[in-house]
């Protein structure tokens, strides 16, 4: 079909071309946004597998076991210096006694803070230097027969024999 300028055909043809160009630009923009989103997600995935995230995962596993009453399993995630402080059977018995029997609670919820790298950390003043560790604040929420309360404790996670291990730091008691 042929359009003559007197019938307004040129105007209709130009509108169709403009609409087609707009659709192509919109499609190009959508594809570009999709590719940028995929790139961002990929970079985020690569960046999130850092040591700090691995330390958080190890501590999450530890407290998830504690939460379910699996104190023997959580003890296995301790650093060797912690295992020297607590024999497994003693740890399991004392944790169950304090939290389940004395406090009258079956479980708790917990939150983990952001990991912060630290150096020159020792479990006690005479202990060996642990090198690079991650300090992560743990907040445990308890509902007990004595009321609701929180325990806030800085925990430390470091690698030992290529495995992430949990530590608690003991400082000398202050004289009162």
């Amino acid at each position: 079909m042929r359009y003559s300028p007197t019938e307004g055909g040129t105007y209709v043809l130009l509108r169709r071309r403009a609409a087609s160009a707009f659709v192509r630009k919109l499609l190009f923009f959508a594809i570009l946004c999709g590719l940028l989103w995929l790139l961002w997600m990929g970079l985020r995935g690569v960046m999130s597998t850092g040591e700090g995230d691995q330390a958080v995962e190890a501590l999450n596993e530890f407290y998830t076991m504690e939460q379910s009453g699996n104190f023997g399993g959580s003890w296995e995630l301790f650093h060797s210096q912690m295992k020297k402080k607590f024999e497994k059977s003693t740890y399991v018995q004392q944790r169950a006694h304090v939290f389940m029997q004395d406090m009258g609670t079956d479980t708790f919820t917990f939150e983990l803070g952001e990991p912060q790298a630290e150096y020159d950390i020792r479990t006690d003043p005479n202990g060996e230097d642990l090198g690079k560790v991650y300090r992560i604040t743990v907040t445990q929420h308890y509902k007990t027969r004595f009321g609701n309360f929180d325990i806030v404790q800085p925990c430390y996670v470091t690698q030992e024999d290529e495995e992430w291990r949990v530590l608690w730091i003991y400082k000398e008691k202050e004289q009162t």
Side-chain angles (χ1 to χ4, degrees):
M1 177 174 186
R2 189 164 189 203
Y3 293 105
S4 70
T6 56
E7 296 175 345
T10 304
Y11 179 71
V12 172
L13 186 59
L14 289 176
R15 277 185 56 196
R16 285 186 184 160
R17 285 184 184 161
S20 176
F22 175 75
V23 170
R24 282 193 302 250
K25 287 179 183 177
L26 187 62
L27 183 60
F28 174 76
F29 181 75
I31 290 172
L32 182 63
C33 286
L35 290 173
L36 288 173
W37 181 78
L38 288 173
L39 178 64
W40 170 251
M41 294 305 288
L43 288 175
R44 204 172 124 213
V46 168
M47 294 182 336
S48 69
T49 58
E51 284 186 341
D53 292 333
Q54 293 172 1
V56 169
E57 287 176 23
L59 195 58
N60 185 62
E61 183 179 357
F62 178 87
Y63 278 100
T64 299
M65 287 183 187
E66 294 264 305
Q67 190 178 44
S68 67
N70 182 0
F71 302 116
S74 61
W75 184 89
E76 293 295 333
L77 296 176
F78 270 146
H79 189 276
S80 61
Q81 289 185 26
M82 290 297 297
K83 289 179 178 180
K84 289 178 188 175
K85 287 192 173 291
F86 299 106
E87 288 185 22
K88 186 175 183 177
S89 60
T90 302
Y91 179 80
V92 170
Q93 185 179 25
Q94 288 180 347
R95 291 293 272 195
H97 181 79
V98 168
F99 291 109
M100 294 179 174
Q101 292 173 0
D102 289 348
M103 292 177 17
T105 185
D106 294 324
T107 191
F108 58 91
T109 59
F110 66 93
E111 297 171 35
L112 303 179
E114 292 295 318
Q116 297 180 6
E118 294 189 9
Y119 299 87
D120 302 323
I121 301 293
R122 301 172 191 280
T123 54
D124 56 50
N126 299 324
E128 70 179 62
D129 184 356
L130 297 167
K132 184 178 183 180
V133 301
Y134 287 91
R135 181 173 51 85
I136 303 166
T137 301
V138 177
T139 305
Q140 296 170 273
H141 308 284
Y142 289 92
K143 293 181 180 181
T144 74
R145 64 176 155 228
F146 303 110
N148 299 339
F149 62 92
D150 296 336
I151 295 177
V152 180
Q153 179 182 22
C155 294
Y156 297 82
V157 183
T158 190
Q159 281 189 302
E160 182 179 47
D161 299 326
E162 299 184 24
E163 296 289 331
W164 290 95
R165 299 295 181 198
V166 175
L167 296 130
W168 295 326
I169 303 299
Y170 297 85
K171 297 182 178 177
E172 290 186 27
K173 293 180 183 177
E174 295 180 17
Q175 299 296 324
T176 56

